[in-house]
Amino acid sequence: MINVGVLGATGAVGQRFVQLLAEHPWFNLETLTASERSAGKTYRDAVNWRLDKPFPESTGDITVSHTDVASLKGLDLVFSALPANLATKLESDIADAGIAVCSNASSHRMDKNVPLVIPEVNQEHLGLIDVQRDSGRDGFIVTNPNCSTIVMAMALNPIRSRGLSDIRVATMQAMSGAGFDGVAAMAIYDNVIPYIGSEEEKMENETLKIMGQFDGAEILPAEFSVSASCHRVPVIDGHTMAIWASVNASPEELKADYRNYSAPFSGLPTQPEKSVQLLEESDRPQPRLDRNRGDGMTVSVGRIREGIRFIAMGHNTIRGAAGASILNAELIVSKKYI
Amino acid sequence: MINVGVLGATGAVGQRFVQLLAEHPWFNLETLTASERSAGKTYRDAVNWRLDKPFPESTGDITVSHTDVASLKGLDLVFSALPANLATKLESDIADAGIAVCSNASSHRMDKNVPLVIPEVNQEHLGLIDVQRDSGRDGFIVTNPNCSTIVMAMALNPIRSRGLSDIRVATMQAMSGAGFDGVAAMAIYDNVIPYIGSEEEKMENETLKIMGQFDGAEILPAEFSVSASCHRVPVIDGHTMAIWASVNASPEELKADYRNYSAPFSGLPTQPEKSVQLLEESDRPQPRLDRNRGDGMTVSVGRIREGIRFIAMGHNTIRGAAGASILNAELIVSKKYI
Amino acid sequence: MINVGVLGATGAVGQRFVQLLAEHPWFNLETLTASERSAGKTYRDAVNWRLDKPFPESTGDITVSHTDVASLKGLDLVFSALPANLATKLESDIADAGIAVCSNASSHRMDKNVPLVIPEVNQEHLGLIDVQRDSGRDGFIVTNPNCSTIVMAMALNPIRSRGLSDIRVATMQAMSGAGFDGVAAMAIYDNVIPYIGSEEEKMENETLKIMGQFDGAEILPAEFSVSASCHRVPVIDGHTMAIWASVNASPEELKADYRNYSAPFSGLPTQPEKSVQLLEESDRPQPRLDRNRGDGMTVSVGRIREGIRFIAMGHNTIRGAAGASILNAELIVSKKYI
Amino acid sequence: MINVGVLGATGAVGQRFVQLLAEHPWFNLETLTASERSAGKTYRDAVNWRLDKPFPESTGDITVSHTDVASLKGLDLVFSALPANLATKLESDIADAGIAVCSNASSHRMDKNVPLVIPEVNQEHLGLIDVQRDSGRDGFIVTNPNCSTIVMAMALNPIRSRGLSDIRVATMQAMSGAGFDGVAAMAIYDNVIPYIGSEEEKMENETLKIMGQFDGAEILPAEFSVSASCHRVPVIDGHTMAIWASVNASPEELKADYRNYSAPFSGLPTQPEKSVQLLEESDRPQPRLDRNRGDGMTVSVGRIREGIRFIAMGHNTIRGAAGASILNAELIVSKKYI
């Protein structure tokens, strides 16, 4: 068993990490950190549990530590659900102190030496871990993309070898992406908010890094263009998106690509049976009906039409956040980086 | 005063017609028709009023007629909120009988001789009324486009002279577009339904007719392409859409176009102060906050960005349906077709 | 293994039965019935699966039968999700044909010889099975109460020995209680509908039968009064209710009753660890956070205050419908009625 | 014209005050106050307008003042939308400075000398203004009750002379009652929150003061009991409530009381045509359909049944807050207290 911790364990993504790690077969959840206010309390007392899955009682007696490097002694790996302003320095310090960091924060995603990884899409980018180590760091940082980027990149991946260009994407994103208190009910009920701060830039920049080539030293970004328009809708979980892509293939050929697709690895505990699922019904995927496929780790696609246009949907706090980091960690372990 | 009737007056769009016509300065609402079941009752008893505006008491004592040509004797003009399957034959018969028909039904929109009109966009298409008359018909049919098409065409119109091509549009459409009982709560709550039957085809085909040239005999459709992806979201009223367009201008130039835009006519009772309103805030338009601008007749646009990408939003049952037909009728009267 | 069938297997409650029975340790799901239109198809083709749990593939190849007695040959027990108008005659005929019927339909609930059972509350009422058999019937009918009645009766049961009188209950009921298509989105969104047909009468009458005494021949109804006010709110699953009861005890004494309460039996597969759970937080139970406790079979109570007032909440389509019938069937088997 | 100001003009209730006062025939809106952060800006720049009515442009150029006594020089009357913690001292200071205060804050509602008034219910309590003046104060404070209390008291008033006892009330309250940012979307969507801090106590205590007798010196509270259970539901505006009352009359007699009821005064600008409206349909009132009756000032009642049980509903931010204060001010002016 590998000893792990969760940084920022009382927030929305932090709770999701704890829920997914409580019974993990490879990871022993030893340390939970939060702000000064919670430090010293048991996790049961510190957290205001708000997931619709029951509180994992096995974590209730863990004493919450303050989020700092000293609290993490003895850990092999930490999962970071820190806000970006805290993550920038802290994650670097933790990696320097010899601990592996799998981070959901945006701070280091675009760093030259830091891999931005979706296991099914660009596992070879983990080679940047060696680059980090060669630069004198004892541990390392591996990041996962923004939630909407992950869903789109997963959905494009099975048809990527056809050649992609001129991507347009309009998202209809769930409220949970903003955290428990991020969206006021009076702001979103009976409404659409056609703006999410920095989201369009993240989708545009992160996708090109993820789909770039690793040449042994650095990532050469992909060269197609991505143009995103991001919108919040009154949905609890699950980001839905309409995607246009110039691809040299017919809808039927692309459907075959999806049907034939399987992940390029197997045996990771958090890996779903199908990473990408093609739905054939005319009105799917839908977030409420499809977000829990593969325990929230499957991205669903459907309505592949001339254009090429199609719909993609995935669970934003599982496949798009905590589950993404955990799958990265499993890949790292399976590749013996730890 | 012009004597008018409403066909299909008990349904969702029919109620909206009645509400907007009850106090109209030019139109005297004389006849309300519905199915056999309601015929003979007073409108007050026949209708299950479900708008959030109060029932217009002045219409309560009108005796509902069965929807047929005989019931319409003495009327100058009727508004049609009929379902497409009934409208095809009935509207033709009514026009043949010498009555003007302003229809919200889809049946005749793409007919060669029937104008598909948004007053601000293509009032000159009303010339097809003469073509209809020349073909021996005593009355005529004028149609308005589908709700989502209207919002998009209104939003594109102020920048149309820049040259448009390669339109992509992803819609987030309100539930009211499907009628009072069209969407089950269990189907749409906490959900997005990424499919609306025939909607994408309507947006693609109707837009090219509306933006086409009338050469005195027929409409030559516009030649740019439109690719639509249509989705239902949990919003009561107001269709929001993300639009991409290839336009030879910068966002700032386009913003100026919107600021300088005004409708090419004035003095129509249902015409809003601003047909198209540019909102400068970073997160607008939003359906709940902006759908009632101009009493529901103003289309709002915002977030004009490189790409060119922008957001458009309009009230689907007012500007996109009943209000659209009424504004058409006002234009027809002002141009002395009646 | 006991061979079972589900009557009305394609509807909302029918799908829930299938989902809960697909992997049941005691029951072998052999027969699924539906209307003439679906008969002859595989269940996979006949059903429009709309639960947010994945479709149970093991049931996909069952050929759907028409709902009649002849289709049920060889079964020991059937679960009925029929509408009341069909259930009245069919359930009687099936019981006469020697098959046990566990019904969620309202048709026979108030029949003199038919037990209306919640296992935790009045298992001794199963004695009416013998009364049915003595009257010459080969099989028998056992019913479970209406969804809101079950939640209230479960919540009152742990404090029932204190003596209850003058019950008032105001419900806030989920949309799923009306079936998939029972409530239009336009009717309930941003709204409360303060009326549910026959619901108040069911809560008032069924509660007194359930809490009545079985004297070996018939049920003597309980003698306290129940006054219900029933309302629909925009919630997907989970009926919440505010209950007043005259009870001779303090809130603290009643909380102790709840903490000390356990079901009067054990070992039934569908039985939750806790049938009734007292929540101590000031703002619980809440349907979204608490409805899935005990896999939907636990009723939660909270906010016990002077008055006596408190809140109860339970999952209406699991504990309040399909799960209720299945738990009844398990009790029947454990008591050797089959 | 009477010169007035609004204290706390940028918040949810403050915006409602401004919207209702912008075109008021008696009141000249001269001063708007807010926190230090907004002081010195124009109202247009200071406010983040979030009502679905358009921003009243006539108020846009008013320079926002800091909320203190000095800013109010020259005003005859101020409306207070202050939070309770600020209102306690400030409202007293303002009244001492000779200005009339009509307050929606809870701070002084239960003060011995301060009238807690709903014009239709207890206008004679305004006599306490003289008591305040006799105690040496130059101005005075008049308060209106909490939003849910107002709806219930208005609904009970027409049947009050029948004799009331043993009131029970279960509320289903709108989200707007908590202010724009008071309820997180993730907390209330697909949910009911069965707790609103201090709300039950307010309904219980304020109702007895409002319905008490003024003997020329003080209020003798009414003697019946009120037991409230308060719940938040996913509704934007409009508090719905199920009320039980022991009344010595049949439902039919009570319906006649409602039909015959009219307000004990007339001619106030904000007064609706009907203060209390009986709806005869079996499923009304409903917040979305009925909250705007009488421009939000009418309280609707329906479903009067044996029990006595009935439903009441009213607009919480108009009749239940800003409109309530304004109607109080109009009554005060009409009675020559100013």
Side-chain angles (χ1 to χ4, degrees):
Chain A
M1 295 288 280
I2 291 159
N3 289 327
V4 304
V6 173
L7 311 178
T10 55
V13 174
Q15 291 187 24
R16 201 52 104 172
F17 270 119
V18 171
Q19 179 229 321
L20 295 172
L21 289 167
E23 310 292 334
H24 197 281
W26 296 2
F27 299 135
N28 175 36
L29 184 52
E30 193 147 289
T31 301
L32 299 172
T33 83
S35 66
E36 202 64 74
R37 206 184 48 229
S38 297
K41 296 184 188 170
T42 62
Y43 187 56
R44 182 177 290 108
D45 290 342
V47 76
N48 179 7
W49 189 257
R50 296 210 259 176
L51 300 186
D52 49 13
K53 303 267 180 176
F55 179 73
E57 293 296 336
S58 64
T59 67
D61 295 328
I62 297 177
T63 301
V64 174
S65 317
H66 180 234
T67 304
D68 54 32
V69 182
S71 305
L72 309 175
K73 214 173 291 180
L75 299 182
D76 304 301
L77 185 153
V78 295
F79 295 98
S80 169
L82 293 174
N85 62 328
L86 290 184
T88 310
K89 179 161 191 321
L90 253 169
E91 292 180 359
S92 296
D93 290 350
I94 295 167
D96 289 345
I99 298 171
V101 179
C102 285
S103 175
N104 185 57
S106 63
S107 311
H108 295 288
R109 284 182 193 151
M110 299 305 290
D111 286 5
K112 201 167 148 36
N113 286 354
V114 171
L116 181 62
V117 175
I118 304 170
E120 287 89 342
V121 179
N122 64 336
Q123 51 173 316
E124 69 282 6
H125 287 204
L126 288 183
L128 280 178
I129 292 175
D130 296 321
V131 177
Q132 283 185 63
R133 283 176 166 163
D134 291 349
S135 75
R137 182 173 259 181
D138 285 337
F140 57 83
I141 300 174
V142 170
T143 60
N144 56 270
N146 173 50
C147 47
S148 51
T149 309
I150 291 176
V151 173
M152 181 172 73
M154 290 283 295
L156 290 173
N157 192 43
I159 59 172
R160 189 180 165 196
S161 62
R162 298 278 186 181
L164 296 176
S165 65
D166 191 15
I167 309 293
R168 319 272 178 111
V169 58
T171 68
M172 291 159 275
Q173 297 185 224
M175 305 179 294
S176 61
F180 289 136
D181 296 310
V183 184
M186 290 294 290
I188 190 67
Y189 202 81
D190 181 20
N191 208 8
V192 170
I193 301 177
Y195 175 71
I196 303 174
S198 301
E199 194 81 2
E200 297 172 357
E201 294 79 357
K202 287 177 187 168
M203 291 192 81
E204 294 168 4
N205 297 329
E206 295 180 5
T207 303
L208 300 185
K209 179 169 179 181
I210 301 163
M211 299 229 168
Q213 295 297 317
F214 177 56
D215 68 1
E218 58 179 337
I219 309 294
L220 310 172
E223 296 205 327
F224 54 81
S225 72
V226 177
S227 176
S229 193
C230 292
H231 321 96
R232 186 86 65 198
V233 295
V235 165
I236 294 176
D237 287 313
H239 287 354
T240 307
M241 47 195 76
I243 300 174
W244 283 264
S246 289
V247 193
N248 215 341
S250 71
E252 283 313 316
E253 288 170 321
L254 298 176
K255 283 182 200 174
D257 288 349
Y258 284 109
R259 286 190 204 102
N260 296 332
Y261 173 79
S262 65
F265 52 83
S266 64
L268 303 190
T270 297
Q271 178 180 4
E273 197 187 316
K274 290 199 155 209
S275 294
V276 181
Q277 168 89 52
L278 175 69
L279 302 178
E280 312 266 1
E281 296 89 340
S282 66
D283 62 353
R284 300 288 274 266
Q286 295 178 15
R288 187 152 61 82
L289 298 182
D290 297 310
R291 63 193 170 204
N292 290 321
R293 288 180 183 273
D295 289 327
M297 290 298 288
T298 295
V299 168
S300 299
V301 300
R303 298 202 72 219
I304 303 179
R305 292 153 289 158
E306 289 295 347
I308 292 294
R309 280 166 282 176
F310 66 101
I311 308 294
M313 197 281 307
H315 196 300
N316 55 302
T317 69
I318 300 179
R319 170 51 90 164
S325 277
I326 294 172
L327 192 62
N328 277 352
E330 293 168 0
L331 184 70
I332 287 166
V333 169
S334 79
K335 293 197 172 291
K336 316 281 188 206
Y337 285 102
I338 307 191
Chain B
M1 294 289 281
I2 292 158
N3 289 328
V4 303
V6 173
L7 311 177
T10 55
V13 174
Q15 291 186 24
R16 200 52 103 174
F17 269 118
V18 172
Q19 179 228 320
L20 296 173
L21 290 167
E23 310 291 335
H24 196 280
W26 297 2
F27 300 135
N28 176 35
L29 184 52
E30 194 146 290
T31 301
L32 298 172
T33 83
S35 66
E36 204 61 76
R37 206 184 47 229
S38 297
K41 296 184 189 172
T42 62
Y43 186 56
R44 183 177 289 110
D45 290 342
V47 75
N48 179 8
W49 190 257
R50 296 210 260 175
L51 300 187
D52 50 12
K53 302 265 179 178
F55 178 73
E57 293 296 337
S58 64
T59 67
D61 295 329
I62 297 176
T63 301
V64 174
S65 317
H66 180 234
T67 304
D68 53 31
V69 181
S71 305
L72 309 176
K73 214 172 292 180
L75 299 183
D76 305 300
L77 186 152
V78 295
F79 295 98
S80 168
L82 294 175
N85 61 328
L86 291 183
T88 310
K89 179 162 189 324
L90 252 170
E91 291 180 0
S92 295
D93 291 351
I94 294 166
D96 289 345
I99 298 172
V101 180
C102 284
S103 175
N104 186 57
S106 62
S107 310
H108 296 288
R109 283 182 195 151
M110 299 304 291
D111 286 5
K112 202 168 147 36
N113 287 354
V114 172
L116 180 61
V117 175
I118 303 171
E120 288 88 341
V121 179
N122 64 337
Q123 50 173 318
E124 69 281 6
H125 288 204
L126 286 184
L128 281 177
I129 291 175
D130 296 321
V131 177
Q132 284 185 61
R133 284 178 165 162
D134 291 350
S135 75
R137 181 172 261 181
D138 285 337
F140 56 84
I141 300 175
V142 170
T143 60
N144 56 270
N146 172 51
C147 47
S148 50
T149 309
I150 292 176
V151 174
M152 182 171 74
M154 290 283 294
L156 290 173
N157 192 44
I159 60 172
R160 190 180 166 195
S161 64
R162 298 277 186 181
L164 296 176
S165 64
D166 191 14
I167 310 292
R168 321 271 177 108
V169 58
T171 68
M172 291 159 275
Q173 297 184 225
M175 305 178 296
S176 60
F180 289 138
D181 296 310
V183 185
M186 289 296 289
I188 190 67
Y189 202 83
D190 182 20
N191 207 8
V192 169
I193 302 176
Y195 175 71
I196 303 174
S198 301
E199 194 82 2
E200 297 172 355
E201 294 79 357
K202 287 177 187 168
M203 291 191 82
E204 293 167 6
N205 298 330
E206 295 179 5
T207 303
L208 300 185
K209 178 169 180 180
I210 301 162
M211 298 228 170
Q213 293 297 318
F214 176 57
D215 68 1
E218 59 179 336
I219 308 293
L220 310 172
E223 298 206 324
F224 54 82
S225 71
V226 177
S227 175
S229 192
C230 292
H231 321 95
R232 186 86 65 198
V233 294
V235 165
I236 293 175
D237 288 313
H239 287 354
T240 307
M241 47 196 75
I243 301 175
W244 282 262
S246 288
V247 192
N248 214 341
S250 71
E252 284 312 316
E253 288 170 322
L254 298 175
K255 284 182 199 173
D257 289 350
Y258 283 110
R259 287 190 205 102
N260 296 333
Y261 173 78
S262 65
F265 52 82
S266 63
L268 304 189
T270 297
Q271 178 181 4
E273 198 187 315
K274 291 199 155 207
S275 294
V276 182
Q277 168 89 52
L278 175 69
L279 302 178
E280 312 266 1
E281 296 89 340
S282 65
D283 60 353
R284 300 289 274 266
Q286 296 178 16
R288 187 152 60 83
L289 298 182
D290 297 310
R291 63 193 171 203
N292 290 323
R293 287 181 184 272
D295 289 326
M297 289 298 287
T298 296
V299 168
S300 299
V301 301
R303 298 202 73 218
I304 303 179
R305 292 154 288 159
E306 289 295 347
I308 293 294
R309 281 167 279 176
F310 66 100
I311 308 294
M313 196 282 307
H315 196 298
N316 55 301
T317 69
I318 300 178
R319 172 51 90 162
S325 277
I326 295 172
L327 191 63
N328 277 352
E330 293 168 359
L331 183 70
I332 286 165
V333 170
S334 79
K335 292 196 172 293
K336 317 279 187 206
Y337 286 100
I338 308 191
Chain C
M1 295 290 282
I2 291 160
N3 289 327
V4 304
V6 173
L7 311 178
T10 55
V13 173
Q15 291 187 25
R16 201 52 105 172
F17 269 119
V18 172
Q19 180 229 321
L20 296 173
L21 289 168
E23 310 292 334
H24 197 280
W26 295 1
F27 298 135
N28 176 37
L29 184 53
E30 192 146 291
T31 301
L32 299 172
T33 84
S35 65
E36 203 63 75
R37 205 184 49 228
S38 297
K41 297 184 188 170
T42 63
Y43 186 56
R44 182 177 289 108
D45 290 341
V47 75
N48 179 7
W49 189 258
R50 296 210 261 175
L51 300 187
D52 50 12
K53 302 267 180 177
F55 178 73
E57 294 296 337
S58 64
T59 67
D61 294 329
I62 297 176
T63 302
V64 174
S65 319
H66 181 233
T67 304
D68 53 31
V69 180
S71 304
L72 309 176
K73 214 173 292 180
L75 299 183
D76 305 301
L77 185 152
V78 295
F79 295 98
S80 169
L82 294 175
N85 61 328
L86 291 183
T88 309
K89 178 161 191 323
L90 253 170
E91 291 180 1
S92 294
D93 291 351
I94 295 166
D96 288 346
I99 298 171
V101 179
C102 285
S103 176
N104 186 56
S106 63
S107 311
H108 296 288
R109 283 182 194 150
M110 300 304 291
D111 287 4
K112 202 170 145 41
N113 285 355
V114 172
L116 180 62
V117 174
I118 303 170
E120 287 89 341
V121 179
N122 64 336
Q123 51 174 316
E124 68 282 6
H125 288 204
L126 288 183
L128 280 177
I129 291 175
D130 296 321
V131 177
Q132 284 185 62
R133 285 177 164 162
D134 291 349
S135 74
R137 181 172 260 182
D138 284 338
F140 57 84
I141 300 174
V142 170
T143 60
N144 56 270
N146 172 51
C147 48
S148 51
T149 310
I150 291 176
V151 174
M152 181 172 75
M154 289 283 294
L156 289 172
N157 191 43
I159 59 172
R160 189 180 167 194
S161 63
R162 299 277 185 182
L164 296 176
S165 64
D166 191 15
I167 308 292
R168 320 272 177 108
V169 58
T171 68
M172 291 158 276
Q173 297 185 224
M175 305 178 294
S176 60
F180 288 137
D181 296 310
V183 185
M186 289 295 290
I188 190 67
Y189 202 82
D190 182 20
N191 208 8
V192 169
I193 302 176
Y195 174 71
I196 302 174
S198 301
E199 194 82 1
E200 297 172 354
E201 295 78 357
K202 286 176 186 168
M203 291 192 82
E204 292 167 5
N205 297 330
E206 294 179 6
T207 304
L208 300 185
K209 178 169 179 180
I210 300 161
M211 298 227 169
Q213 294 297 318
F214 176 55
D215 68 0
E218 59 178 336
I219 308 294
L220 311 172
E223 298 205 325
F224 54 82
S225 71
V226 177
S227 176
S229 192
C230 292
H231 322 95
R232 186 86 64 199
V233 294
V235 165
I236 293 175
D237 288 311
H239 287 354
T240 308
M241 47 196 75
I243 301 175
W244 282 262
S246 289
V247 192
N248 215 342
S250 71
E252 283 312 315
E253 288 169 322
L254 297 175
K255 285 183 198 174
D257 289 349
Y258 283 109
R259 287 190 204 103
N260 296 333
Y261 173 79
S262 65
F265 52 82
S266 63
L268 303 189
T270 297
Q271 178 181 4
E273 199 188 315
K274 289 199 156 208
S275 294
V276 182
Q277 168 90 52
L278 175 69
L279 303 178
E280 312 266 0
E281 296 90 339
S282 65
D283 60 354
R284 301 289 274 267
Q286 296 179 15
R288 186 152 62 83
L289 299 182
D290 297 310
R291 62 195 172 203
N292 289 322
R293 287 181 183 272
D295 289 327
M297 290 297 288
T298 296
V299 168
S300 298
V301 300
R303 298 202 72 218
I304 303 178
R305 292 154 289 159
E306 289 294 348
I308 291 298
R309 280 167 282 177
F310 67 100
I311 308 294
M313 198 283 306
H315 196 299
N316 54 301
T317 69
I318 301 179
R319 170 52 89 163
S325 277
I326 294 172
L327 192 62
N328 277 351
E330 292 168 0
L331 183 70
I332 287 165
V333 169
S334 79
K335 292 198 171 292
K336 317 280 187 206
Y337 285 101
I338 309 192
Chain D
M1 295 289 281
I2 291 158
N3 289 328
V4 304
V6 173
L7 311 178
T10 55
V13 174
Q15 292 187 23
R16 201 51 105 174
F17 270 119
V18 171
Q19 179 229 320
L20 296 173
L21 290 168
E23 311 292 334
H24 197 281
W26 296 2
F27 299 135
N28 175 36
L29 184 52
E30 193 146 290
T31 301
L32 300 172
T33 82
S35 65
E36 202 62 76
R37 206 184 49 230
S38 298
K41 297 183 187 171
T42 63
Y43 187 56
R44 182 177 289 109
D45 291 341
V47 76
N48 179 7
W49 189 257
R50 295 210 260 175
L51 300 187
D52 49 12
K53 303 266 180 177
F55 179 72
E57 294 296 336
S58 64
T59 66
D61 295 328
I62 297 177
T63 301
V64 174
S65 317
H66 181 234
T67 305
D68 52 33
V69 181
S71 305
L72 308 176
K73 214 172 291 180
L75 299 181
D76 305 301
L77 185 152
V78 295
F79 295 98
S80 169
L82 294 175
N85 62 328
L86 291 184
T88 309
K89 180 161 189 324
L90 254 170
E91 292 181 0
S92 295
D93 290 350
I94 295 167
D96 289 345
I99 298 170
V101 179
C102 284
S103 175
N104 185 56
S106 62
S107 310
H108 295 288
R109 284 182 194 150
M110 300 304 290
D111 286 5
K112 200 168 150 33
N113 286 354
V114 172
L116 180 62
V117 175
I118 303 171
E120 288 89 341
V121 179
N122 63 337
Q123 49 174 316
E124 69 281 6
H125 288 202
L126 288 183
L128 281 176
I129 291 175
D130 296 321
V131 177
Q132 283 185 63
R133 284 175 164 165
D134 291 349
S135 76
R137 181 172 260 182
D138 284 336
F140 56 83
I141 300 173
V142 170
T143 60
N144 56 270
N146 173 51
C147 48
S148 51
T149 309
I150 291 176
V151 174
M152 180 171 76
M154 289 284 294
L156 289 173
N157 192 43
I159 59 172
R160 188 181 168 194
S161 63
R162 299 278 186 180
L164 295 175
S165 63
D166 191 15
I167 309 293
R168 320 272 177 110
V169 57
T171 68
M172 291 159 276
Q173 297 184 225
M175 304 178 295
S176 61
F180 289 138
D181 296 311
V183 184
M186 290 294 290
I188 190 67
Y189 203 81
D190 181 21
N191 208 8
V192 169
I193 302 177
Y195 174 71
I196 302 174
S198 301
E199 194 82 0
E200 297 172 356
E201 294 78 357
K202 286 178 186 167
M203 291 192 80
E204 293 168 5
N205 298 328
E206 294 179 6
T207 303
L208 301 185
K209 178 169 179 180
I210 300 162
M211 299 227 169
Q213 294 298 316
F214 176 56
D215 68 0
E218 59 180 337
I219 309 294
L220 310 173
E223 296 206 325
F224 54 81
S225 72
V226 177
S227 176
S229 193
C230 292
H231 321 96
R232 186 87 64 199
V233 295
V235 165
I236 293 175
D237 287 313
H239 287 354
T240 308
M241 47 196 76
I243 301 174
W244 282 262
S246 290
V247 193
N248 216 342
S250 71
E252 284 312 317
E253 288 170 321
L254 298 176
K255 285 182 199 174
D257 288 349
Y258 283 110
R259 286 189 205 104
N260 297 333
Y261 173 79
S262 65
F265 52 83
S266 64
L268 303 190
T270 296
Q271 177 180 4
E273 198 187 316
K274 289 199 155 207
S275 294
V276 182
Q277 168 89 53
L278 176 69
L279 302 177
E280 311 266 1
E281 297 89 340
S282 65
D283 61 353
R284 299 289 274 267
Q286 296 179 15
R288 187 152 61 82
L289 299 182
D290 297 310
R291 62 194 171 203
N292 290 322
R293 287 180 184 274
D295 289 326
M297 289 298 288
T298 296
V299 168
S300 299
V301 301
R303 299 203 71 220
I304 303 179
R305 291 154 288 159
E306 290 294 348
I308 292 297
R309 280 167 282 175
F310 67 100
I311 307 294
M313 197 281 307
H315 197 300
N316 54 301
T317 69
I318 300 179
R319 171 51 90 163
S325 277
I326 295 172
L327 192 62
N328 277 352
E330 293 169 359
L331 183 71
I332 286 165
V333 170
S334 80
K335 291 196 173 293
K336 316 282 188 205
Y337 284 102
I338 307 192

